[in-house]
Amino acid sequence: VKHLEFYDLNNFGDEDLEMIPSFIESLKFYKCESITSEGFKNLSSSLKVLKIDYCSNVTREVIQYLPHTLTELNISNWIFDKQYI
């Protein structure tokens, strides 16, 4: 398994992100309301693809926590300001 998707999990929070195995290369979160931007600081450095859809507690601050290994990033619940592009 290299790809995980989490859908509509209100009880899946930042502490759960730490438990994602390091061999996972692709993650998708959809409507996971308990995840915050800071929770992403512990993602594996092997992560290549990250999709965050409608997780209302994930803000622009998430950018500083993302691994540099990402080749694809899709965040659909907010729009980047020009300073982030």
Side-chain angles (χ1 to χ4, degrees):
V1 176
K2 292 186 179 187
H3 177 80
L4 291 176
E5 297 185 6
F6 299 92
Y7 288 88
D8 207 11
L9 297 174
N10 290 326
N11 59 347
F12 188 90
D14 292 349
E15 63 282 352
D16 298 305
L17 289 175
E18 295 178 30
M19 306 304 282
I20 294 174
S22 61
F23 56 82
I24 297 298
E25 295 179 1
S26 175
L27 286 171
K28 180 174 182 176
F29 298 95
Y30 180 79
K31 292 180 72 176
C32 296
E33 301 299 328
S34 297
I35 296 173
T36 68
S37 297
E38 193 170 327
F40 287 89
K41 69 182 176 185
N42 294 314
L43 289 180
S44 168
S45 60
S46 65
L47 191 65
K48 296 177 182 173
V49 177
L50 178 61
K51 298 181 182 182
I52 305 169
D53 295 332
Y54 303 103
C55 299
S56 62
N57 290 312
V58 177
T59 66
R60 290 174 179 87
E61 292 178 354
V62 73
I63 297 300
Q64 64 185 318
Y65 301 119
L66 298 179
H68 298 288
T69 54
L70 285 179
T71 58
E72 183 179 335
L73 174 63
N74 182 318
I75 303 174
S76 66
N77 58 322
W78 45 269
I79 299 172
F80 282 107
D81 290 334
K82 288 182 180 180
Q83 69 187 36
Y84 294 104
I85 296 177

